[in-house]
Amino acid sequence: MTSTFRATDGGRIDRSATVDFTFDGQVYTGHPGDTLASALLAAGRHQIATSIKLGRPRGIAAAWAEDPGGLVQIEEPFPEPMLLATTVELHEGLAAHGLPGQGRLAEVPDSARYDAVHHHVDVLVVGAGPAGLAAALTAARAGARVALVDEQSEAGGSLLGGTDRLDDAPALEWVTAAVAELAGHPDVLHLQRTTAFGSYDDGFVLALERRTDHLGTAAPKHISRQRVWRLRARSIVVATGAHERPVVFADNDRPGIMLAGAARTFLHHYGVLPGREAVVFTTNDSAYDAALDLHRAGVRVQAVVDARPEGSPRRREECERAGIRVLPGAVVTGTRGVERVTHALVAPFADGDVGAGSAIACDLLLVSGGWNPAVHLFSQARGRLRYDEALGAFLPGEELDGLSVTGAAAGVFDLAGCLADGRRVARAALTAQTIDPAGVDRLPTAPEPVVPTAPLVLWRVPDTSGAEGSTSFVDLQRDATVADIARAVGAGLRSIEHIKRYTTIGTAHDQGKTSGVLTSGITAELLGIPVQATGTTTFRPPYTPVAFAALAGRDRGRLFDPERVTSLHDWHVAAGAVFEDVGQWKRPRYYPRPGEDMEAAVLRECAAARTGVGILDGSTLGKIDVQGPDAAVLLDRLYTNMMSSLKVGSVRYGVMCGVDGMVIDDGTVLRLAEDRFLVLTTTGGAAKILDWMEEWAQTEWPDLRVHCTSVTEQWNTFPVVGPRSRDVIGAVFPQVDVSNEAFPFMAWRDTTLDGVPVRLARISFSGELAFEVYVSPWYGVAVWQRLLEAGHRYGITPYGTETMHVLRAEKGYPIIGQDTDGTVTPQDLGMEWAISKKKADFVGKRSFARRANQDPLRKQLVGLLPVDRRTVLPEGSQIVELHADGQLPPPPVPMLGHVTSSYRSAELARPFALALVKGGRSRIGDTVHVPVNGTLVPVEVTGSVLVDPEGARRDG
Amino acid sequence: MAELLRTHPLEAWHVAFERLPDTARIAVEPFVAMVDVRLGAVGPEVRAGLGVDLPTIANTWVPADAGRATWLGPDEWLLSSTAETPEEFESRVRAAVLPLGGSATDVSAQRIGLRLTGARVRDVLTKGCSIDLHPRVFGRGSSVQTMLGQAGVVLLALSDAGDDYVVLVRSSFAGYLADWLLDAALEFITPDS
Amino acid sequence: MQLIECPWCGPREEVEFHYGGQAHVPYPDNPAEVSDEEWAHYVFFRDNTKGRFAERWNHTAGCRRWFNAIRDTATYRFERVYRLDGPKPVTP
């Protein structure tokens, strides 16, 4: 369609080129520089969609992010819901349709890139209008590090939508020069298409830069589409302008009804005539500019309806010179039309009373009820707002450290004032930072401001239509009306926060940019209280909607969560390992051979470790080097066991408890020297236990001469496990006497392999004869290969975490965090043997004596054997007890405990489980029941050690 | 039997690093001996024993004979040496600091180093590092222990121009960080190069 | 994203720190001699102050040192940080 509503000249569009796009299936043509909204208006199209609840036609009502009417769904180039036609830049191939308040997410993954960047500045200026530019120039000229962000496609702010002049030239010439000057400062970051959407603590502002959206299908794939800027500023200058406020009247929602300033912006910024015959309804002087500019551009302005009794004598004279009729002391009481406004109903208005009216034909009804400073970022930073009676708006009500507001956002509405104020706040910010603001900072001369006639604060026109406010729309996006506010107040609500939630006003896409202050005003009127007492609802980020994809940034796919791997990872992958996540670690779970499922692989791996030899990559175990003359003292205080009596060359298993006496970790401790230990923690406990040791050493016992250092990745750890492990170790390390006498259980020995230091330890987590091999990961793969080569003749079998779990569970070794849950004491685990009787104190000891921890009915770790010898009990299953008659007790059925570990055992040739059971050790031999898939499975309670309870195998 | 070969966790990334432009180079640092030193008070006797003044200003590093000494905390430093084996280095440093009540732990394999050079590497780092890396603030001799992406790192500035850094990362996170850096550098690779 | 001032490393983003609960709650000198009730108070009971609160923080992503801070629990504002060997500041 042709652009029949395009002005003959003007606008920031490129008339030499055209852009074809599709809206609601119809092809249109616009120009580069258009928004979707301006291009549609140029084609004479106002209606975008119908409303969410009432299905009323709705159109474009504003020119930027405050528009409550023009929600669209983008179809091409990539589906995206809930964008405003006023903020979508036109590009070739754009396809969109209007949305009645709800959109549709894409059904295919978004292939665009999104990223984030941290940036630090001395002064962050938000908004590149006259005040913001003046502030940015002032700061840049002082040599400060500056960021200037602005949400539009080019700098200028309100100047883009007007005809202002500076230094006797079009103001935009000054804007161009200012932007060029800023670009010459190496420490100035100037970003357009960038919305500062949230201000947080300590000068932290998040801003969303739309980097390639406007390029459509031409957007380069390797550049992020949108970027979240994480800006940290010592001073923030908020120069975010103001939003024009409508006046509410009956049927004020029809397409063709628009804010007056928006119409002026469409004319000057985009070269669009939003209609042919306009009525202008205002309470203040600013709308006269729209009336006069549209008139000059060829729009027939039927009347300016000014609610003030005398109107504005000066502006009236200007209008009458231009032949525009002005009706002071009058209001628009309603409209006619369906898909487009056709008439404005105009009536005299005095002392709040509306007289008899008449209809004026129009296809455009412009409205101005004053201006609301955009105080969002100030308010988000917990700045207190004050209500200004004269403006009928909320203004910053206090000074904040490090954040100042300037220009229209601070209630300064004249150009000269904005420039001067922008410079003033920037200078103050620099001075506060001890940056010398002196220097060249000449600002252009603006025409002497004319003092406007005082505005009238008018929230709504009394409804004479008989609809009792039910068609007087406050929040167009939510179809919420004056009648809804009246209903809320009638229901007894007083708080503006409650009224917001009752009426849903301000909860839609625009978050109340046009409706918020109106709601405060109308509520105050209905309650008969001052607007200051009503206040506003809380301003929360984001200022405008931000896509989750942008917030996720690059933390997607592989980069979503770090994968930690050992130096053997590539070997595991090549060996066909199936991995499992253990915290952030990727650990081989099992190594299936062709045709094997997990069960078959694990049975094979278990059998190898019990009858031949297996090898595990245990490198993820946490390792802490504890050094210093008091190293043994620290360990004595943190372990339940005595560690100071451990001999150099020996290893001891130890348990750590919290002060509440509950087990927090376990592992082995190697004494390397009188003043040096190597502490092994669980894989998941590595960081936690290092922190725990540091916490006590630093905060409680700073007098102890001891240092703890993480060496988790300094050592690969390979348990070589099984009756043939001695043969393998003996073959690889021939200089080590691996006999039981020379190298007993729970001993360690240092050796070398081709000059590379290796430590061997007789530690067993399976009950079998086993050696752990410690070597620097630099040589980890090579040593692993040597072990495999030497073990080949014994059928050495790499095994994964699943087999490790079966082997340890068969021996009743608990996994802290699986068989325990932070409520389990060492005694509950049957580990009295690991609790020193000799030590006067250690962390947790005193809590063992608490009465709750002495209860014989505490849950204790036991073994369970399903009587059917077939069922593998699901981990987490509840354990119940039947009555003597074989019936379940009546609900609620008492729970005795739960299954913590459950596997199929090659060794036992049957499934088994570990469980925490109330008074479990006194129930050994009893039969209890576990509900599995609706059936009660009888299980025998046993001791927790099911394989080799005598410990005969550990020495081979 | 053949000599034991060393393997680097980022061997598989070499090809990808090679494709990076000069403006955002990533190179794997050779294996070096590294020792974590803990020491309460730093006096002249430390220099005598170690041959280097341990930096006492937070967030700095200094060159040492054949390596660097990096401040990690008020009583903790990371020393590196290209001239000794890890065992030799730990023994020497330990012998020097033990009489002063300090400790020394070989952490040579605990971290790997990446060298980042080029005019855009600062832009690569700022995508995941919340520290102000402006060369006026973070010039040669600066160091920081912080997060880069989701990995803990020690970051050292080697130049005053913001174009030369060393990143030390825990070995188990090396693959993650390499992927992260390559992804962050993607926009600096012209698509047809 | 709040900044927390590590007494050693300087201001860093809050995600680099772990919270350590109320400060100045010493481990009892001789746990064996305190009553169950006194012990339970040490293990389980902490103040729940609205306003200035002395608490422990650890710079986990940086120097790994513990330190104390006076923070206003109503505004989250850190009023000051101090080293472990320093006395609890007198707050108005």
Side-chain angles (χ1 to χ4, degrees):
Chain A
M1 277 184 67
T2 50
S3 306
T4 51
F5 286 81
R6 191 67 77 176
T8 49
D9 56 13
R12 313 284 295 167
I13 51 169
D14 177 4
R15 291 173 189 258
S16 68
T18 57
V19 174
D20 289 336
F21 68 102
T22 308
F23 189 76
D24 280 353
Q26 191 170 352
V27 177
Y28 293 87
T29 300
H31 294 293
D34 262 324
T35 62
L36 177 56
S38 70
L40 288 171
L41 290 175
R45 176 156 184 162
H46 272 248
Q47 186 184 340
I48 294 296
T50 50
S51 69
I52 185 164
K53 283 194 294 198
L54 305 173
R56 291 170 68 104
R58 292 283 163 77
I60 294 156
W64 191 249
E66 67 275 22
D67 180 29
L71 272 183
V72 298
Q73 166 91 32
I74 305 294
E75 293 296 348
E76 298 289 344
F78 185 81
E80 191 166 9
M82 304 289 281
L83 295 183
L84 284 173
T86 51
T87 61
V88 173
E89 290 185 53
L90 204 61
H91 56 76
E92 191 66 39
L94 176 73
H97 64 257
L99 277 185
Q102 287 175 341
R104 179 179 55 78
L105 288 171
E107 285 157 9
V108 292
D110 185 353
S111 62
R113 293 174 61 78
Y114 299 83
D115 65 7
V117 171
H118 296 262
H119 192 76
H120 298 252
V121 291
D122 299 320
V123 180
L124 165 65
V125 180
V126 181
L133 281 171
L137 283 172
T138 303
R141 287 168 181 170
R145 292 164 66 187
V146 178
L148 170 64
V149 303
D150 183 273
E151 56 182 345
Q152 303 221 36
S153 59
E154 60 178 319
S158 61
L159 300 177
L160 295 165
T163 55
D164 293 284
R165 295 178 69 80
L166 288 168
D167 284 344
D168 280 333
L172 292 175
E173 288 181 12
W174 171 74
V175 171
T176 304
V179 168
E181 185 184 333
L182 290 172
H185 289 279
D187 281 330
V188 172
L189 173 73
H190 175 194
L191 300 169
Q192 291 296 143
R193 300 188 172 95
T194 304
T195 306
F197 63 81
S199 71
Y200 304 84
D201 296 295
D202 299 317
F204 191 63
V205 169
L206 291 180
L208 182 77
E209 181 188 10
R210 294 169 295 279
R211 303 180 79 200
T212 67
D213 292 61
H214 61 290
L215 300 176
T217 50
K221 294 278 177 261
H222 67 300
I223 305 285
S224 59
R225 177 177 175 231
Q226 297 179 353
R227 167 171 289 174
V228 173
W229 285 87
R230 304 171 69 86
L231 301 165
R232 180 75 67 175
R234 296 166 73 191
S235 301
I236 301 166
V237 173
V238 175
T240 44
H243 298 137
E244 197 163 20
R245 181 173 67 236
V247 181
V248 178
F249 48 84
D251 299 313
N252 59 336
D253 62 329
R254 302 194 198 284
I257 302 176
M258 183 182 284
L259 290 166
R264 196 162 173 250
T265 296
F266 281 120
L267 173 64
H268 294 304
H269 191 161
Y270 302 106
V272 168
L273 303 174
R276 301 241 184 264
E277 293 190 319
V279 169
V280 179
F281 174 30
T282 188
T283 64
N284 65 88
D285 279 13
S286 72
Y288 285 85
D289 291 330
L292 289 160
D293 288 358
L294 289 173
H295 166 78
R296 282 182 208 116
V299 176
R300 185 180 154 87
V301 179
Q302 300 282 39
V304 175
V305 181
D306 193 325
R308 293 172 291 186
E310 307 297 329
S312 169
R314 185 179 61 81
R315 304 308 307 253
R316 179 176 183 173
E317 198 186 308
E318 279 181 75
C319 285
E320 285 173 350
R321 268 205 307 273
I324 301 171
R325 179 167 57 137
V326 176
L327 302 173
V331 290
V332 171
T333 59
T335 63
R336 291 186 195 144
V338 180
E339 292 174 351
R340 179 80 179 260
V341 63
T342 60
H343 293 81
L345 306 180
V346 177
F349 179 69
D351 299 327
D353 292 327
V354 176
S358 58
I360 302 177
C362 61
D363 64 355
L364 181 66
L365 171 54
L366 302 185
V367 183
S368 178
W371 294 82
N372 294 327
V375 293
H376 300 67
L377 296 177
F378 171 83
S379 179
Q380 288 169 14
R382 302 197 191 110
R384 197 165 32 79
L385 300 174
R386 73 173 172 84
Y387 179 69
D388 186 294
E389 293 279 354
L391 286 177
F394 289 88
L395 286 171
E398 63 177 330
E399 298 285 321
L400 292 184
D401 277 348
L403 186 147
S404 45
V405 186
T406 183
V412 179
F413 291 104
D414 70 284
L415 179 53
C418 283
L419 293 169
D421 197 53
R423 180 170 61 184
R424 180 187 65 80
V425 298
R427 281 180 164 171
L430 293 168
T431 305
Q433 295 184 31
T434 66
I435 299 173
D436 183 3
V440 198
D441 62 347
R442 189 190 105 60
L443 290 174
T445 311
E448 194 62 28
V450 178
V451 178
T453 305
L456 173 75
V457 177
L458 179 67
W459 311 115
R460 57 175 175 142
V461 173
D463 188 358
T464 54
S465 72
E468 296 182 355
S470 65
T471 65
S472 299
F473 290 91
V474 179
D475 185 337
L476 272 65
Q477 290 200 2
R478 285 290 187 228
D479 271 338
T481 63
V482 171
D484 292 320
I485 300 178
R487 195 173 298 117
V489 169
L493 304 180
R494 295 294 179 269
S495 157
I496 195 70
E497 297 285 0
H498 294 159
I499 286 164
K500 168 180 175 171
R501 283 151 184 83
Y502 187 90
T503 61
T504 72
I505 289 173
T507 61
H509 182 276
D510 71 347
Q511 291 285 292
K513 287 186 183 63
T514 53
S515 59
V517 177
L518 280 178
T519 306
S520 296
I522 293 168
T523 299
E525 254 178 31
L526 293 172
L527 289 171
I529 60 171
V531 179
Q532 175 73 44
T534 306
T536 64
T537 55
T538 306
F539 289 85
R540 292 194 180 86
Y543 169 72
T544 48
V546 178
F548 280 115
L551 295 175
R554 300 193 300 123
D555 291 340
R556 295 164 63 173
R558 289 187 66 139
L559 301 180
F560 176 68
D561 192 26
E563 283 181 4
R564 299 179 70 181
V565 299
T566 73
S567 61
L568 271 290
H569 189 71
D570 291 347
W571 189 93
H572 299 317
V573 171
V578 173
F579 288 89
E580 90 170 320
D581 293 337
V582 182
Q584 289 178 316
W585 290 98
K586 284 280 173 202
R587 298 196 68 182
R589 191 173 188 190
Y590 57 99
Y591 299 83
R593 287 183 178 166
E596 276 185 345
D597 59 7
M598 182 169 95
E599 189 176 310
V602 170
L603 287 172
R604 172 179 53 76
E605 292 173 9
C606 286
R610 291 258 183 251
T611 61
V613 59
I615 184 168
L616 173 78
D617 180 6
S619 305
T620 62
L621 284 178
K623 302 169 203 81
I624 301 166
D625 182 277
V626 184
Q627 276 190 53
D630 295 322
V633 179
L634 177 69
L635 297 184
D636 270 354
R637 291 185 188 178
L638 293 179
Y639 279 101
T640 62
N641 323 56
M642 183 79 89
M643 290 300 174
S644 52
S645 61
L646 183 63
K647 291 192 170 45
V648 174
S650 290
V651 182
R652 186 163 289 164
Y653 171 81
V655 175
M656 274 194 209
C657 292
V659 287
D660 59 359
M662 303 302 157
V663 177
I664 58 169
D665 207 67
D666 70 342
T668 48
V669 176
L670 285 65
R671 190 162 202 170
L672 306 181
E674 276 304 311
D675 61 350
R676 192 171 191 183
F677 293 80
L678 179 64
V679 167
L680 280 296
T681 74
T682 57
T683 294
K688 188 181 68 184
I689 295 306
L690 178 63
D691 287 349
W692 178 248
M693 294 170 76
E694 286 283 4
E695 179 177 349
W696 287 96
Q698 288 181 38
T699 69
E700 274 312 323
W701 308 313
D703 51 312
L704 289 187
R705 295 160 300 162
V706 58
H707 294 122
C708 308
T709 305
S710 170
V711 286
T712 296
E713 280 122 304
Q714 178 61 23
W715 296 99
N716 277 144
T717 308
F718 307 141
V720 179
V721 176
R724 307 312 298 261
S725 59
R726 180 173 283 133
D727 300 307
V728 176
I729 296 297
V732 176
F733 305 102
Q735 68 274 46
V736 178
D737 182 346
V738 293
S739 70
N740 206 39
E741 298 68 36
F743 196 163
F745 182 59
M746 295 305 254
W748 63 266
R749 300 289 181 260
D750 274 351
T751 182
T752 59
L753 184 60
D754 295 356
V756 173
V758 172
R759 179 168 296 147
L760 303 173
R762 283 275 314 271
I763 296 169
S764 179
F765 196 39
S766 59
E768 299 298 328
L769 174 70
F771 294 80
E772 288 185 352
V773 179
Y774 291 77
V775 65
S776 162
W778 292 0
Y779 303 97
V781 174
V783 170
W784 175 271
Q785 297 278 17
R786 291 280 180 93
L787 292 164
L788 291 184
E789 285 159 20
H792 183 70
R793 57 193 292 204
Y794 309 107
I796 192 167
T797 301
Y799 66 87
T801 50
E802 193 67 19
T803 292
M804 175 189 82
H805 279 289
V806 177
L807 297 175
R808 65 89 197 169
E810 289 171 340
K811 285 290 293 179
Y813 297 147
I815 296 277
I816 306 308
Q818 174 169 337
D819 299 296
T820 71
D821 58 4
T823 67
V824 180
T825 64
Q827 295 88 343
D828 298 336
L829 295 173
M831 288 193 177
E832 283 84 355
W833 56 269
I835 301 167
S836 167
K837 308 273 187 299
K838 294 180 189 153
K839 291 193 286 184
D841 190 34
F842 54 82
V843 172
K845 180 181 170 81
R846 174 63 183 83
S847 286
F848 295 157
R850 294 181 65 237
R851 197 165 56 197
N853 290 342
Q854 305 279 321
D855 184 349
L857 287 181
R858 286 184 63 80
K859 288 182 182 173
Q860 296 165 333
L861 188 72
V862 292
L864 298 179
L865 289 171
V867 174
D868 66 5
R869 304 180 71 92
R870 278 199 323 273
T871 307
V872 180
L873 304 171
E875 288 172 356
S877 295
Q878 293 292 329
I879 297 161
V880 298
E881 190 173 33
L882 301 187
H883 278 320
D885 60 3
Q887 298 298 308
L888 264 181
V893 179
M895 300 297 167
L896 295 187
H898 67 279
V899 175
T900 58
S901 293
S902 177
Y903 309 97
R904 194 179 294 281
S905 168
E907 181 76 10
L908 302 169
R910 64 188 292 184
F912 73 104
L914 296 177
L916 287 169
V917 178
K918 278 183 189 165
R921 286 198 286 275
S922 65
R923 292 177 178 271
I924 289 174
D926 291 359
T927 298
V928 293
H929 287 76
V930 175
V932 179
N933 295 331
T935 308
L936 288 172
V937 175
V939 298
E940 184 194 344
V941 180
T942 71
S944 58
V945 186
L946 292 161
V947 168
D948 185 28
E950 311 78 29
R953 296 178 172 187
R954 66 169 207 214
D955 293 328
Chain B
M1 223 178 246
E3 192 187 341
L4 287 179
L5 290 178
R6 297 194 299 199
T7 48
H8 194 283
L10 293 183
E11 271 167 19
W13 276 263
H14 278 217
V15 177
F17 289 159
E18 289 294 316
R19 290 200 199 104
L20 290 168
D22 286 342
T23 51
R25 280 255 158 258
I26 303 175
V28 175
E29 292 261 276
F31 284 121
V32 293
M34 284 187 269
V35 167
D36 187 293
V37 174
R38 303 291 292 273
L39 198 55
V42 178
E45 67 278 16
V46 176
R47 181 182 181 81
L50 286 179
V52 59
D53 273 323
L54 295 177
T56 51
I57 299 170
N59 307 317
T60 61
W61 68 273
V62 297
D65 276 348
R68 304 181 188 108
T70 304
W71 185 94
L72 295 183
D75 66 348
E76 186 171 13
W77 292 265
L78 186 66
L79 267 55
S80 64
S81 169
T82 55
E84 290 152 286
T85 67
E87 303 78 57
E88 291 164 353
F89 193 39
E90 187 198 70
S91 302
R92 180 169 69 81
V93 175
R94 198 164 141 78
V97 299
L98 215 55
L100 308 174
S103 67
T105 306
D106 176 15
V107 289
S108 307
Q110 183 79 352
R111 299 179 180 87
I112 61 104
L114 292 170
R115 182 78 173 263
L116 274 58
T117 52
R120 306 310 298 268
V121 286
R122 182 154 69 98
D123 297 324
V124 171
L125 292 171
T126 57
K127 289 186 181 182
C129 179
S130 66
I131 302 293
D132 187 357
L133 298 180
H134 192 286
R136 282 213 298 265
V137 180
F138 197 79
R140 177 176 169 83
S142 298
S143 73
V144 66
Q145 272 195 100
T146 187
M147 304 298 289
L148 181 56
Q150 296 177 64
V153 297
V154 181
L155 178 66
L156 313 180
L158 268 60
S159 88
D160 282 326
D163 59 359
D164 194 352
Y165 300 91
V166 164
V167 180
L168 301 173
V169 64
R170 296 275 288 260
S171 305
S172 62
F173 284 96
Y176 162 79
L177 193 72
D179 284 342
W180 189 95
L181 287 167
L182 285 167
D183 187 74
L186 190 68
E187 71 170 305
F188 305 118
I189 306 174
T190 41
D192 41 34
S193 71
Chain C
M1 183 70 76
Q2 197 168 0
L3 294 177
I4 296 174
E5 172 107 16
C6 169
W8 308 104
C9 301
R12 299 287 183 88
E13 291 198 343
E14 62 188 272
V15 291
E16 293 201 0
F17 298 83
H18 276 178
Y19 182 61
Q22 184 173 357
H24 308 292
V25 182
Y27 189 75
D29 281 340
N30 194 341
E33 287 178 5
V34 302
S35 69
D36 272 7
E37 189 178 339
E38 287 167 326
W39 181 251
H41 269 88
Y42 166 71
V43 174
F44 300 113
F45 286 51
R46 293 294 181 270
D47 294 340
N48 187 17
T49 306
K50 180 179 180 182
R52 290 190 181 86
F53 190 51
E55 56 195 21
R56 305 185 312 161
W57 287 84
N58 183 226
H59 188 193
T60 37
C63 64
R64 302 194 301 127
R65 295 310 100 184
W66 282 89
F67 59 93
N68 290 334
I70 303 290
R71 187 180 63 102
D72 189 315
T73 59
T75 64
Y76 305 151
R77 190 66 32 209
F78 279 74
E79 301 200 346
R80 57 170 299 185
V81 294
Y82 55 105
R83 295 174 186 177
L84 292 174
D85 49 4
K88 181 178 176 179
V90 179
T91 53

